[in-house]
Amino acid sequence: DVKVTQSSRYLVKRTGEKVFLECVQDMDHENMFWYRQDPGLGLRLIYFSYDVKMKEKGDIPEGYSVSREKKERFSLILESASTNQTSMYLCASSFGRGPASTDTQYFGPGTRLTVL
Amino acid sequence: AQSVTQLDSHVSVSEGTPVLLRCNYSSSYSPSLFWYVQHPNKGLQLLLKYTSAATLVKGINGFEAEFKKSETSFHLTKPSAHMSDAAEYFCVVIQGGTGFQKLVFGTGTRLLVSP
């Protein structure tokens, strides 16, 4: 079974703090993704990576950055957290090589981040 | 650009009755379509996937969906609802041409199942 794990299920931070969300997958997948999920909006892509040290912006990258130093790990960074970044954050991975892959994405359980 | 519209934000059924969750898509070419399910406090799980093979796609847990090009629809059905089906369901289309293939999610339909 594919396993995608996220470092925290719940996180509470203060405005202006730097926040790290970690994601690890154990299936040697090439592609990894970060989404945020908000009620009534579905999931929106923040960033994705199709190889180590490679990253591409998604639909809503503002206020976020990412890091992929190892194939199995993809980190989402909020440089200076703001209240409008309170959300559920979901990580996903897929086998396919490169950004043109249509392979199934496997999701982690999510991190519910609250910024006060 | 490709997009999906989930026509109902909430659907309520009784246990043992049929389930119908509606999804319409917009695509300039033959799309790849998915249904994902999200149970409370859990990640998304793939239910089924359509990629231009058979128009009737069978998924896990007794769900199936039919791709209808003439109606631009990809509705999810199940003959008999179970309490464990209560969850949020997302219809998803792949957006992209020769470059990055991105998942575009609908806004979700919450399925409520009563005894």
Side-chain angles (χ1 to χ4, degrees), chain A residues 92-103:
Chain A
S93 71
S94 70
F95 177 74
R97 299 184 183 279
S101 164
T102 60
D103 286 351

Side-chain angles (χ1 to χ4, degrees), chain B residues 8 10 24 31-32 34-35 39-40 56 64 69 95 97-98 107 111:
Chain B
D8 306 291
H10 292 81
N24 286 348
S32 291
F34 308 77
W35 276 98
H39 287 93
L56 183 62
E64 62 183 36
K69 187 175 180 179
Q95 176 176 300
T98 55
T107 52
L111 177 64

Side-chain angles (χ1 to χ4, degrees), chain A residues 9-10 33 35 37 40-45 48 58-59 88 90 99-110, chain B residues 32 34 36 38 41-46 49 51 88 90 94-95 97-108:
Chain A
R9 293 300 305 274
Y10 300 93
F33 308 82
Y35 295 87
Q37 181 181 12
L41 296 178
L43 275 73
R44 293 177 291 167
L45 182 65
F48 74 98
D59 295 319
M88 170 72 88
L90 292 166
S101 164
T102 60
D103 286 351
T104 299
Q105 291 187 20
Y106 296 88
F107 285 81
Chain B
S32 291
F34 308 77
Y36 277 85
Q38 185 178 34
N41 300 315
K42 292 191 176 179
L44 277 79
Q45 180 184 20
L46 180 68
K49 177 178 180 180
T51 54
E88 188 152 24
F90 292 92
I94 286 186
Q95 176 176 300
T98 55
F100 173 55
Q101 304 290 317
K102 182 179 74 170
L103 296 187
V104 177
F105 285 78
T107 52

Side-chain angles (χ1 to χ4, degrees), chain B residues 14-61:
Chain B
S14 299
E15 192 174 21
T17 65
V19 175
L20 170 64
L21 304 183
R22 298 183 295 165
C23 173
N24 286 348
Y25 70 89
S26 171
S27 177
S28 54
Y29 51 82
S30 184
S32 291
L33 292 158
F34 308 77
W35 276 98
Y36 277 85
V37 61
Q38 185 178 34
H39 287 93
N41 300 315
K42 292 191 176 179
L44 277 79
Q45 180 184 20
L46 180 68
L47 269 181
L48 49 82
K49 177 178 180 180
Y50 168 77
T51 54
S52 73
T55 56
L56 183 62
V57 183
K58 292 190 184 298
I60 61 172
N61 300 334

Side-chain angles (χ1 to χ4, degrees), chain A residues 81-101:
Chain A
S82 63
T83 55
N84 63 12
Q85 292 178 310
T86 292
S87 187
M88 170 72 88
Y89 290 88
L90 292 166
C91 175
S93 71
S94 70
F95 177 74
R97 299 184 183 279
S101 164

Side-chain angles (χ1 to χ4, degrees), chain A:
Chain A
D1 270 359
V2 175
K3 193 158 187 185
V4 181
T5 57
Q6 296 183 228
S7 52
S8 306
R9 293 300 305 274
Y10 300 93
L11 208 53
V12 180
K13 296 291 182 180
R14 297 215 172 269
T15 301
E17 280 192 78
K18 190 168 186 176
V19 181
F20 293 87
L21 303 182
E22 305 285 338
C23 175
V24 177
Q25 49 92 6
D26 67 357
M27 283 300 293
D28 203 33
H29 283 174
E30 303 287 340
N31 295 345
M32 296 188 75
F33 308 82
W34 275 106
Y35 295 87
R36 64 177 281 175
Q37 181 181 12
D38 299 288
L41 296 178
L43 275 73
R44 293 177 291 167
L45 182 65
I46 304 172
Y47 267 97
F48 74 98
S49 167
Y50 54 90
D51 201 351
V52 175
K53 297 192 186 293
M54 302 299 290
K55 60 185 180 184
E56 295 286 344
K57 293 180 180 178
D59 295 319
I60 51 165
E62 296 77 21
Y64 304 94
S65 62
V66 290
S67 172
R68 192 161 180 206
E69 297 295 323
K70 293 185 178 181
K71 190 175 185 179
E72 68 272 17
R73 188 179 297 269
F74 191 36
S75 302
L76 180 69
I77 303 156
L78 286 65
E79 296 289 343
S80 177
S82 63
T83 55
N84 63 12
Q85 292 178 310
T86 292
S87 187
M88 170 72 88
Y89 290 88
L90 292 166
C91 175
S93 71
S94 70
F95 177 74
R97 299 184 183 279
S101 164
T102 60
D103 286 351
T104 299
Q105 291 187 20
Y106 296 88
F107 285 81
T111 296
R112 187 167 294 282
L113 172 67
T114 301
V115 183
L116 303 175

